[in-house]
Structure formats: structure tokens, C-alpha cells
Amino acid sequence: MRGLAVQRRRTGTIAVVSALGMTAVLGGCGLGGDSGDVTLKLVAADYGDSEANSSQKYWDKLVAEYESDHPGVRVDVSVYSWNDVDRKVKEMVAGGDAPDMAQIGAYADYAHDDLLYSADELLSIPTQADFVSQLATAGEVDSTQYGMPFASSTRLLFYNKTLFSKAGLTPPTTWDELAEDAAALKAEGVKYPYALPLGPEEAQAETMQWLLSGGGGYTEDTGTYGIDSPANIDTLTWLKDDLVGKGLTGPVAPGKLNRADAFAAFANGQVGMLNGHPTLMKTAAAKGVKFGMVPMPGVDGPTKYSMGVADWMTAFKQNGHAEQIGDFLDFVYDEKNVLAFSREYDLLPVTMSASDAMSTAKQDQDLKPFLTELTGSELYPVGKVSWAEVSAAVKQRIGEAVTAGGSPAAILNDLQSKAQMAESTQ
């Protein structure tokens, strides 16, 4: 064990008091009678786009370094694609074989079922305090943090500089300017003047960015769902009438256009504008596309809030390895390790120390605009157990709201009813 007597609230045999007032007694280097060597099981998602940069390589290197200083602890890491990782963990939990840690896309359902350790039962105080505040808050259920942010991202409006220059345009700052630019790009023969991916892959993300830019969002200030708010109805109505209805979103209906296809079209020089995250920079640059990035336009100027996204580290109680899990996660969240991961996969760091380092480092200047947006970002309501069901409903239905015969108010009213029903059953 590392000498963390000052930093930790657990060393030797001490009591740990959680935010809920529950007390657990920890003994020595284990919990509940553990002794001898310990093997921690970690299931993680793959952020790589090829075998050469698979997340397995990141974890193998990190674990080798950790184990060299901790001979009594082994960390067994299994990496799965994002198509499989959440399902795999659910299967493990359902089969009574929960991993010690899972780095996945959601946590609230496990927290609701009392399967997870809270952050303050695991992490040293400096590690907890180093999380970016809105990410830490987003990881809470009933004011207790169970989801530890692992990777984050925000969105900016990407635009094709070559196409804009040819049409004599400047980047838009308002919705009206965006529509005017899209009309000019259409006149120049651009295939997708503004790519609007409301297909089932990630419609909830594009939708949220537009709702925020219109002064709305999925939830009200009180935290309750407000999907059918007047602001949200106005936003979807504008999209339907002023972009989609005028043929400014390209040949594929928004409800059929997935995010991956929109990104690929941008990298192929076929898109004038779209909302993108940091990984699009590398993809577009590799294809020789000259692009710029600006904050998402709003009704009267740049939107006040951008959309933030985070993936989560969770720790399951089943095997009782709180002490070892906490010690390993303190290492995972060390500044140099957070920076290494963020730089490898063009993601934003989840800790303040790594964010500060990245904001001043010359090698990270292309990510600085996204870091700036993160401080004013709003995340999905991931602390709600109902969010997974609501998100799935948005993916299925939201594209209908902007079709020629669609009704934004009717679709949003239906989604609100589904959200309230899902919330009431929790």
C-alpha cells in the first residue's frame, strides 16, 4: 500500500463515513477479510479506431507501470467496443460476476440498485477535488457521486473553409446567419449545406445541442424533464421550417442520417457545416479538408451553453476490494495518465490539473476551443435512471419532428410523456 495516511480517509483500520452517513470498516490492505494477493477485474471501452491504437494498449502500459510498484495487486483488463461494452457489463452483473471496475457509458441504474461504491469510499481527497466540477456533479445520484468521469468532450460548429471561401461566407453566429450561409452553400452545389444527423445512432446529441442553442434542454432548472417546453418546440419548428423544409440539410432525411455518416461526408468535403467533437479534427485533416471551428450559433448570438459528454468509471461492491480499487484509481487519475489518455484519443481531460496543463501546452492548442466550451457545458441528465430509456426514445422519434408532415409539438409532447412515465417507475 502507498503511504496515503495524510491524503486518504482510510489507512490501516479506520472508519469511512459516506455522504449518506453509512459507515464501513476497512482493515489493512483489504476489505471484509481480504488477505494476500488481489486481482482486480476492469472492463473498459475501446476508444481506438484500429488495432494500432486500441485502448487495450493504453491499459496494458498503465497496468504494467502500476503493478511494478504494487506486487500484491494484479489488474486484469478486458476491452470491448462501444457496441458491446455496456451490454457485456450488464451480462456480468446479471450473472453474479460483476467486475471490480467498469469504464462504460452509464452508471445510474447500478447506483440505483446499490451495486456501486461511491467516489468518496474509494478516492483520495485530492483526486476527488481534482475532477472538473460539472463532470463530478453529473456523476451524482441523490447528491452522492457514483459515476467518476473518465473521458469528456464538447461540440463546436465545424465549417469547411474552402467551401465558405468559394461562396464568400463568414462563420455564422446566429441561426439566421446559419440558414443564410446554408442557402449560399446550396447555391454553390454543396451536397450537405448543414448536415443534421438525427438518425438513430446519436440523435440525442444533435438534438440536445440545438435545444441548448434555443435556450431549452432536456430538463428544467429544477431537474425535472422539460422536453416539450415552449423553447424546445420553437427550436424544432425552426429546424423543420427554416433548414429542413428549405432543402438545406442535404439529400438524406435527417432522421436517416447518422453521425458517423455525417462526419465521413465532412471529411470527404461534402459538408459545409455540422456539429462535431474533437475526433473529427484528425479525420478531416487526414483527408486534407481545411476547416474552422466556432461556438454553436444561437437565436441572437453564440449559444450560451454547449453540450458536454462524459463517459464513466464505476466500481462495483461485489468483490469487496475497495482499498485496492481506490488506490489503483488514484493512479489512473494522476495528471500524467489523464493527459496521456486524452492526447492519445483527442478527448478532453476530466481533471482540473490535466485541463490546466493542456490549456497551456503548445501540442494541445487545437483542443483549446473545446476546453473553453467545457467550462460552460451542460451534460445529459445521466444521473437519472430513466435517461437511458428517454435517450432511446429520442433516437427513435426525433427525426419525425422535422419532416414535412411532422409536428414538433406532438413529437416533443409524446417524448415528455414517455420521460415522465419512465421517471415515475424508478
Side-chain angles (χ1 to χ4, degrees):
M1 292 296 138
R2 280 186 294 169
L4 296 173
V6 175
Q7 296 182 357
R8 285 191 185 278
R9 282 177 285 179
R10 57 182 192 282
T11 301
T13 303
I14 57 177
V16 177
V17 182
S18 75
L20 296 177
M22 303 293 287
T23 302
V25 177
L26 304 176
C29 288
L31 183 69
D34 284 344
S35 61
D37 291 351
V38 168
T39 297
L40 301 177
K41 294 188 296 182
L42 166 62
V43 174
D46 194 353
Y47 290 83
D49 55 15
S50 68
E51 186 176 346
N53 70 341
S54 166
S55 291
Q56 188 72 57
K57 291 189 175 182
Y58 171 81
W59 285 110
D60 287 348
K61 180 180 178 181
L62 188 75
V63 166
E65 183 179 349
Y66 180 79
E67 289 179 348
S68 68
D69 290 331
H70 299 77
V73 179
R74 292 189 64 254
V75 184
D76 181 12
V77 183
S78 300
V79 173
Y80 296 89
S81 76
W82 274 109
N83 294 328
D84 301 322
V85 66
D86 288 287
R87 173 183 55 80
K88 181 64 177 178
V89 172
K90 282 188 179 298
E91 290 173 352
M92 294 174 71
V93 173
D97 187 30
D100 295 285
M101 295 164 283
Q103 186 268 299
I104 48 180
Y107 64 87
D109 50 349
Y110 298 125
H112 181 265
D113 293 338
D114 196 29
L115 300 178
L116 301 179
Y117 287 115
S118 64
D120 65 356
E121 290 176 302
L122 299 170
L123 303 176
S124 66
I125 293 173
T127 298
Q128 291 183 72
D130 198 26
F131 285 132
V132 174
S133 61
Q134 65 264 48
L135 299 181
T137 299
E140 294 179 352
V141 173
D142 295 330
S143 300
T144 299
Q145 184 183 358
Y146 296 95
M148 292 163 278
F150 183 76
S152 67
S153 180
T154 55
R155 301 293 173 96
L156 290 171
L157 183 74
F158 281 66
Y159 65 96
N160 185 309
K161 286 186 173 182
T162 301
L163 298 178
F164 264 62
S165 178
K166 184 179 178 181
L169 303 175
T170 57
T173 60
T174 67
W175 286 1
D176 287 344
E177 290 176 2
L178 186 149
E180 291 168 4
D181 286 353
L185 291 165
K186 181 182 179 182
E188 290 287 335
V190 176
K191 187 173 182 179
Y192 295 91
Y194 178 86
L196 183 66
L198 296 179
E201 178 194 0
E202 204 181 34
Q204 83 286 359
E206 182 74 12
T207 300
M208 182 170 175
Q209 183 62 78
W210 277 99
L211 297 183
L212 291 172
S213 72
Y218 288 123
T219 58
E220 305 285 2
D221 291 340
T222 58
T224 58
Y225 283 112
I227 298 173
D228 61 348
S229 69
N232 290 346
I233 293 173
D234 287 347
T235 296
L236 270 293
T237 300
W238 187 88
L239 281 174
K240 175 179 180 290
D241 295 342
D242 290 70
L243 278 189
V244 182
K246 294 181 179 178
L248 302 179
T249 55
V252 181
K256 302 292 185 181
L257 182 64
N258 282 324
R259 187 266 308 163
D261 296 328
F263 278 21
F266 186 85
N268 288 328
Q270 299 174 322
V271 175
M273 298 172 281
L274 87 171
N275 282 316
H277 52 63
T279 57
L280 181 56
M281 294 189 298
K282 182 181 294 185
T283 305
K287 291 291 191 75
V289 173
K290 296 180 179 179
F291 60 89
M293 302 175 297
V294 294
M296 177 66 181
V299 178
D300 301 314
T303 182
K304 184 177 180 182
Y305 298 106
S306 63
M307 186 192 73
V309 178
D311 301 324
W312 306 97
M313 179 68 75
T314 59
F316 288 85
K317 295 178 178 180
Q318 180 177 319
N319 300 319
H321 295 146
E323 185 80 12
Q324 293 88 349
I325 293 171
D327 194 68
F328 176 67
L329 290 180
D330 276 346
F331 178 75
V332 168
Y333 286 110
D334 183 82
E335 179 183 324
K336 69 179 179 64
N337 295 326
V338 174
L339 280 173
F341 179 84
S342 301
R343 286 167 173 162
E344 176 66 29
Y345 299 107
D346 289 323
L347 291 165
L348 303 183
V350 297
T351 62
M352 290 302 300
S353 58
S355 295
D356 290 344
M358 186 173 279
S359 66
T360 58
K362 186 176 181 179
Q363 71 184 94
D364 301 312
Q365 287 308 293
D366 55 348
L367 286 172
K368 192 170 182 179
F370 293 96
L371 283 168
T372 300
E373 289 294 299
L374 184 61
T375 59
S377 66
E378 184 171 320
L379 280 72
Y380 300 130
V382 289
K384 292 180 175 293
V385 178
S386 59
W387 170 243
E389 184 176 341
V390 174
S391 176
V394 171
K395 292 178 182 181
Q396 293 171 355
R397 298 294 312 279
I398 202 66
E400 300 173 35
V402 298
T403 60
S407 168
I411 295 297
L412 292 176
N413 286 337
D414 181 61
L415 290 171
Q416 175 70 10
S417 295
K418 284 182 168 60
Q420 290 176 327
M421 183 175 298
E423 187 72 358
S424 68
T425 60
Q426 301 305 321

